């Protein structure tokens, strides 16, 4: 043994080959935390000091190679003053360069995931041998960053500027064949042969059969590409990538600029350029928000895991109602492996639900994501029926019939009689209180909400809604079923609209007020889309369905009359009165025509302005900031109320619910992080500025207290 640490050991094998092995104690994966970085430096020095060592093989004893830097340490590190942070990055880089400069040949044996810093480790060695099972990549752009341990420098020299730009700007995980093709790795072998192959390679390099020094030198020199071609490659990539990433995600374009800047430089100078760029990115709010998002997601997964431990198995599910939602739920359950009975009261419903599933599966087959036999298997997991028959096998039922309390009461009570005493009933209601629905039931402890979003196969969120009488075992089982369906469950407590719709309708309230005061719905849509929403509020209303929107708005107004009851007739009301229901009947705020591919295409309808004129002030331009404030304040404040009322457990749950449920702009991290970023006191001041717009703009006492005490949500 040459070196022994918490994360790294170095053992001397036969023939002077040292095996530098990553195995971070107490963790399921290897990652570059402070300890690992420090140990890599020490281990490298220990190897250098040992004259018996003729070559180094780097390996991992975990399933992964190294998943990347330890993101949990980012928040603290990136908060350092810029100069200190720069010092930190350069010091980390010195660790990798120290390893790269060892006087003997080095080979990494990539057995599993080697991402971010993990792959940068691989790039620091002379050769890379990769298992067919492994994946490599530099996904830093997904966190609003780019590689900062020499990745932009080494990769552009190893695989050329074009490939490096693609890998770094896309941030994809790459399979072994793709990695070999561009030369990111030198050999690909079956997992069983990996270590042997790596040892063989390092021996051949040591014996002079392979010129490892020349190979290493390529990484130490400038990028090999004539200046003219370089300029072309970088400049054309900047335009293309900027268009793809959009103005809210600066990291990919900055990565290209940095690579362009250091292309003509030797390693150490190039690394300094990269480090400077990295620090600049690390200091952007976008990076802070995306890192926060990642951490929130981890927290959510941890909560779900704890629930899964208490869950009962769900081997067979059922869905009542084969409409838009029922069909989607059946498809998703079957696709992910849980067989599901799909019951409706009329054949037309069943046909619709099954056709929807068939359509989605056919698309997968066409895209070669699945073969016909698999499609057949999945369809067989959906058992359509018009009568209950034997429901004793069913573990969980999702009720997805029409949104009507009376109908739901009847259906739920009837279903409860068909199932085992320990089976679980859930409702996919979007607005009706779970406590109200449970009144029809004999075993309300076995009942909760399971709120999917439309379209079910696309939307990641499932709200699991706890009623007053719901047991924890019920929640745990439903969380685990949602996970099994490939969804992200967030557990919330019962209230009108639960979390997502409760905060969405105040946002629509903001929209109603803007139109009343003369804002142009098209301007509002444009501003909110530029803010980062996938669609603006008018377009969103059209997609949701104006009738559905008006109905839900009514429920919310009844639930929270003090602030959600409007004292004026809104443009949306006018749409509804005129049977302009949105996409479903091809006319709402916009008109919908069918494009060449058969998809609805949104077109402007001047008639809309005429129609809503009687309830709107004369049309005028609004400042962008005013539109954003008037739309976002009511939503953000409602999220604060949800947290204060215990509807959600944590700020992370709330923000993730919005991102996964309604497409809150991810680079903003969520509503509460948006408040944090603005500053709680500044946010309260902004709300006060609009206070005369009504109670939707009224900051809570809790928030004022946070502002006074200088507290934040994260
Ligand atoms: N559409 C959405 O965007 C959306 C999103 C989230 C939640 N939801 C909720 O999901 C539920 C269903 O909505 P949808 O849009 O799928 O409605 P839908 O009208 O498309 O489908 C309802 C289906 O239920 C069937 N049905 C009615 N009574 C029944 C009974 N007694 N037994 C079995 N089937 C019966 C109908 O025949 C119909 O096929 C509602 O509670 C709705 O609020 C809808």
């Amino acid at each position: 043994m040459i070196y022994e640490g918490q994360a790294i050991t170095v053992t001397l094998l036969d023939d002077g080959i040292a095996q530098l092995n990553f195995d971070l104690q107490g963790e399921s994966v290897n990652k570059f935390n402070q300890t690992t970085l420090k140990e890599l430096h020490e281990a490298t020095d220990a190897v250098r000091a040992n004259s018996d060592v003729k070559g180094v093989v780097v390996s991992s004893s975990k399933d992964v190679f190294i998943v990347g830097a330890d993101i949990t340490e980012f928040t603290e590190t990136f908060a350092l003053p810029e100069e200190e942070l720069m010092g930190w990055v350069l010091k980390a880089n010195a660790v990798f360069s120290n390893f790269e400069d060892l006087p003997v040949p080095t080979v990494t044996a990539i057995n599993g995931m080697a991402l971010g810093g993990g792959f940068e480790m691989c790039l620091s060695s002379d050769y890379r041998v990769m298992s067919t099972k492994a994946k490599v990549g530099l996904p830093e752009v997904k966190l609003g960053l780019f590689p900062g341990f020499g990745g932009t420098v080494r990769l552009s020299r190893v695989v050329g500027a074009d490939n490096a730009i693609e890998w770094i700007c896309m941030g994809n995980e790459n399979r072994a064949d793709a990695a070999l093709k561009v030369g990111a790795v030198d050999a690909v072998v079956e997992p069983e042969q990996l270590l042997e192959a790596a040892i063989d390679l390092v021996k051949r390099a040591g014996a002079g059969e392979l010129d490892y020094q020349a190979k290493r030198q390529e990484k130490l020199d400038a990028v090999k590409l004539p200046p003219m071609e370089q300029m072309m490659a970088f400049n054309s990539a900047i335009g293309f990538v900027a268009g793809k990433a959009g103005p809210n995600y600066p990291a990919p374009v900055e990565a290209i600029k940095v690579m362009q800047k250091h292309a003509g430089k030797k390693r150490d100078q190039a690394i300094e350029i990269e480090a400077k760029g990295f620090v600049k990115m690390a200091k952007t709010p976008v990076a802070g928000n995306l890192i926060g998002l990642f951490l929130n997601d981890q927290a959510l997964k941890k909560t779900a895991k704890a629930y899964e431990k208490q869950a009962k198995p769900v081997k067979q599910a059922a869905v009542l109602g084969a409409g838009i939602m029922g069909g989607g739920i059946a498809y998703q359950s079957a696709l992910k492996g849980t067989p599901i009975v799909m019951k409706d009261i009329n054949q037309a419903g069943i046909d619709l639900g099954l056709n929807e599933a068939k359509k989605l599966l056919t698309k997968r087959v066409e895209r070669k994501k699945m073969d016909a036999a698999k499609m057949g298997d999945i369809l067989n997991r959906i058992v359509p029926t018009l009568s209950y028959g034997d429901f004793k096998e069913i573990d969980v039922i999702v009720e997805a019939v029409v949104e009507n309390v009376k109908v739901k009461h009847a259906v739920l009570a009837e279903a409860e009689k068909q199932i085992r005493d320990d089976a679980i009933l859930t409702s996919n209601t979007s607005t009706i209180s779970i406590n109200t629905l449970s009144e029809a039931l004999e075993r309300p402890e076995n009942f909760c909400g399971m709120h999917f979003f439309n379209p079910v196969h696309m939307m990641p969120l499932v709200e699991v809604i706890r009623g007053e009488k719901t047991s924890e075992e019920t929640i745990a089982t439903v969380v685990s079923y949602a996970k099994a369906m490939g969804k992200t469950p967030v557990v919330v407590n019962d209230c009108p609209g639960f979390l997502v719709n409760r905060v969405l309708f105040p946002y629509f309230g903001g929209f109603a007020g803007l139109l009343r005061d003369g804002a142009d719905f098209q301007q509002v849509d444009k501003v909110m889309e530029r803010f980062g929403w996938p669609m603006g509020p008018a377009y969103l209303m059209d997609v949701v369905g104006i009738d559905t929107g008006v109905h839900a708005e009514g429920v919310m107004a009844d639930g929270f009359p003090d602030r959600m009851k409007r004292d004026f007739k809104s443009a949306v009301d006018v749409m509804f009165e005129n049977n302009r229901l949105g996409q479903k009947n091809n006319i709402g705020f916009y008109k919908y025509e069918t494009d060449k591919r058969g998809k609805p295409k949104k077109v402007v309808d001047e008639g809309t302005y005429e129609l809503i004129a009687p309830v709107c002030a004369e049309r005028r331009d609004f400042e962008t900031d005013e539109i954003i404030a008037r739309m976002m304040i009511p939503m953000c404040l409602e999220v604060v109320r949800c947290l204060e009322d215990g509807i959600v457990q944590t700020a992370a749950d709330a923000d993730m619910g919005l991102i996964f449920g309604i497409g809150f702009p991810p680079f903003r991290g969520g509503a509460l992080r948006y408040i944090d970023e603005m500053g709680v006191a500044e946010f309260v001041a902004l709300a006060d500025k609009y206070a005369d717009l009504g109670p939707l703009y009224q900051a809570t006492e809790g928030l004022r207290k946070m502002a006074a005490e200088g507290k934040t949500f994260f």
Side-chain angles (χ1 to χ4, degrees), residues 321 323-325 344-345 400-401 403 408 411 428 430 451-452 454:
I324 304 175
M325 297 305 286
D344 206 291
I345 44 170
V401 304
E403 186 78 349
K408 284 199 193 284
V411 169
N428 179 46
S430 16
H451 185 206
F452 292 85
N454 187 17

Side-chain angles (χ1 to χ4, degrees), residues 59-72:
S59 62
S60 148
S61 1
K62 306 244 193 249
D63 289 341
V64 302
F65 179 68
I66 301 171
V67 291
D70 185 350
I71 298 168
T72 59

Side-chain angles (χ1 to χ4, degrees), residues 309-541:
K309 280 193 191 130
Q310 312 165 40
K312 290 188 299 186
V314 179
K315 295 206 186 87
Q316 174 72 54
V319 61
L320 308 177
I324 304 175
M325 297 305 286
I329 292 163
Y331 163 81
Q332 190 66 26
S333 184
L335 177 74
K336 295 290 175 178
T338 310
I340 186 160
V341 175
M342 182 170 73
K343 182 184 175 301
D344 206 291
I345 44 170
N346 57 63
Q347 187 60 39
I350 299 264
D351 293 344
L352 213 78
L354 272 182
N355 279 340
E356 190 58 26
K358 268 185 209 149
K359 220 166 62 193
L360 291 170
L361 288 167
T362 308
K363 258 192 217 153
R364 288 180 85 92
V365 174
E366 280 168 6
R367 286 205 209 112
K368 301 222 170 358
K369 279 186 167 171
M370 179 184 283
D371 60 25
K374 180 102 193 275
M375 169 168 165
D377 286 347
I378 293 170
L379 276 177
N380 282 337
R381 286 191 205 126
I382 306 178
V383 180
T385 175
L386 287 169
S387 61
Y388 277 102
D390 188 9
F391 258 51
K392 295 288 178 235
E393 294 286 304
I394 309 287
D395 301 305
V396 173
I397 292 189
V398 186
E399 170 278 307
V401 304
V402 285
E403 186 78 349
N404 174 306
V405 185
K406 273 199 195 130
V407 176
K408 284 199 193 284
H409 267 165
V411 169
L412 288 168
E414 184 184 49
E416 193 183 38
K417 293 198 175 68
Q418 310 290 329
I419 53 176
R420 295 190 317 267
D421 280 0
D422 65 333
I424 290 169
L425 258 176
T426 72
S427 173
N428 179 46
T429 176
S430 16
T431 50
I432 306 168
S433 148
I434 293 305
N435 292 332
T436 306
L437 288 179
S438 77
E439 284 162 10
L441 297 174
E442 309 220 329
R443 299 186 293 274
E445 65 278 11
N446 292 351
F447 175 65
C448 70
M450 189 175 193
H451 185 206
F452 292 85
F453 294 79
N454 187 17
V456 175
H457 68 284
M458 299 261 296
M459 299 298 287
L461 183 69
V462 172
E463 277 182 292
V464 177
I465 304 131
R466 183 193 284 118
E468 269 164 22
K469 298 191 175 143
T470 307
S471 75
E472 281 307 287
E473 192 183 50
T474 297
I475 294 290
T477 306
V478 174
V479 163
S480 143
Y481 178 42
K483 288 285 284 184
M485 286 172 83
K487 296 295 170 192
T488 303
V490 172
V491 179
V492 302
N493 282 319
D494 190 28
C495 72
F498 320 125
L499 168 70
V500 169
N501 282 330
R502 176 166 161 184
V503 307
L504 183 60
F505 281 89
Y507 171 83
F508 282 134
F511 179 53
L514 273 166
L515 296 200
R516 175 199 58 195
D517 296 344
D520 175 352
F521 67 90
Q522 287 195 70
Q523 191 200 0
V524 179
D525 270 5
K526 278 196 195 109
V527 168
M528 296 320 286
E529 281 159 19
R530 234 175 289 131
F531 179 84
W533 286 98
M535 49 184 92
Y539 187 23
L540 179 59
M541 257 294 170

Side-chain angles (χ1 to χ4, degrees), residues 37 49 94 171 194 383 388 487 628 656 696:
L37 273 175
L194 183 65
V383 180
Y388 277 102
K487 296 295 170 192
I628 294 172
M656 294 312 278
L696 278 180

Side-chain angles (χ1 to χ4, degrees), residues 86-136:
M86 181 74 185
W88 181 89
V89 178
L90 287 176
K91 203 169 144 205
N93 268 289
V95 176
F96 292 91
S97 296
N98 184 36
F99 176 82
E100 186 167 53
D101 295 339
L102 276 172
V104 292
T106 55
V107 178
T108 31
I110 311 170
N111 61 309
M113 284 291 184
L115 300 178
F119 186 50
E120 289 173 296
M121 175 71 221
C122 304
L123 288 169
S124 307
S125 66
D126 300 323
Y127 297 95
R128 288 157 290 284
V129 185
M130 183 172 176
S131 149
T132 49
K133 295 260 150 57
K135 280 190 178 156
V136 296

Side-chain angles (χ1 to χ4, degrees), residues 359 363 535 539 542-543 582-587 590-603:
K359 220 166 62 193
K363 258 192 217 153
M535 49 184 92
Y539 187 23
D542 277 358
V543 171
Q583 248 177 21
K584 66 173 77 161
N585 70 351
N586 296 324
I587 187 148
Y590 299 93
K591 261 193 309 204
Y592 297 89
E593 292 168 358
T594 313
D595 73 6
K596 279 186 222 120
R597 279 176 297 162
K599 290 213 169 116
K601 193 178 95 187
K602 173 176 81 134
V603 283

